[in-house]
Amino acid sequence: MIGRLAGSIVSFRGDSLVIDVGGVGYEVFITAKVAAGLGTPGDRAVIHTHLHVREDIMSLFGFPTEADRDLFRMLLSAQGVGPKVALAMLGSFSADALRQVVATEDVDALTVVPGIGRRTAQKIILDLRPRLADLEADVLDSASPSAQLRDALESLGYAPAEIRSVMPSIDSDIDLKEQIRQALKALAR
């Protein structure tokens, strides 16, 4: 198994990058957030990887930390989640936000991820909730940031369909006030 790559970034190609390690170029699938934090071609990078093997292809998926890679592997163990959907989930949510979404059973937040409908979101939460039982009490007791954002937009009179259409474009790593500003700008278009 290939667990980690350290080398020079050769190029970025949409949802992947090529990293040169000892003269061999490895193509690694990554999220846009990971790509933004790695630097530019020629820079040195360390990527923690998961090698996904199917009967017809072997694919590498890359993460900035071992914890992110371990969360990816946990997502793969959930029913209905393949590597592309798991990567999309990590691209839509930070690790902490994703843990909070599962802990608070926020089905609507997961439906923002491309490829996840309401039923699949419910199955994912059902599968992952026991595995994430060691979450902090404050995570379990508080509403997820995406739920707070949806509640705020609903209170302003926006329809659930309108809200769902802008949720993927909102940065989940910023505070709630900034998320609301971003959502209102997106809804005004």
Side-chain angles (χ1 to χ4, degrees), residues 34 49 113 130 137 170:
V34 171
T49 61
V113 179
I170 306 303

Side-chain angles (χ1 to χ4, degrees), residues 31 33 87-94 97 112-114 168 170-172:
T31 65
K33 288 180 186 178
L87 196 63
M89 290 171 73
L90 291 175
S92 298
F93 299 102
S94 68
V112 168
V113 179
I170 306 303
D171 183 1
S172 63

Side-chain angles (χ1 to χ4, degrees), residues 107-108 110-124:
V107 173
D108 290 333
L110 280 181
T111 60
V112 168
V113 179
I116 297 181
R118 192 158 183 77
R119 285 194 180 152
T120 303
Q122 291 169 337
K123 288 178 186 176
I124 290 169

Side-chain angles (χ1 to χ4, degrees), residues 26-74:
Y26 292 91
E27 183 175 14
V28 182
F29 293 98
I30 56 174
T31 65
K33 288 180 186 178
V34 171
L38 284 177
T40 60
D43 290 347
R44 215 161 144 67
V46 174
I47 301 170
H48 299 273
T49 61
H50 171 80
L51 177 63
H52 190 78
V53 180
R54 288 191 340 207
E55 56 204 36
D56 59 339
I57 193 167
M58 293 190 309
S59 302
L60 278 173
F61 295 87
F63 310 93
T65 66
E66 287 182 59
D68 287 336
R69 180 190 62 201
D70 294 343
L71 181 58
F72 175 80
R73 289 176 175 165
M74 185 182 296

Side-chain angles (χ1 to χ4, degrees), residues 81-159:
V81 178
K84 293 290 186 175
V85 170
L87 196 63
M89 290 171 73
L90 291 175
S92 298
F93 299 102
S94 68
D96 289 336
L98 186 57
R99 285 184 182 98
Q100 190 169 35
V101 164
V102 171
T104 58
E105 299 183 19
D106 191 354
V107 173
D108 290 333
L110 280 181
T111 60
V112 168
V113 179
I116 297 181
R118 192 158 183 77
R119 285 194 180 152
T120 303
Q122 291 169 337
K123 288 178 186 176
I124 290 169
I125 289 171
L126 199 64
D127 282 351
L128 294 179
R129 179 92 193 231
R131 296 183 191 129
L132 298 175
D134 61 346
L135 290 174
E136 301 291 328
D138 60 341
V139 171
L140 292 171
D141 293 337
S142 65
S144 73
S146 59
Q148 292 174 354
L149 176 60
R150 277 194 314 279
D151 289 344
L153 294 173
E154 284 176 5
S155 69
L156 292 171
Y158 290 99

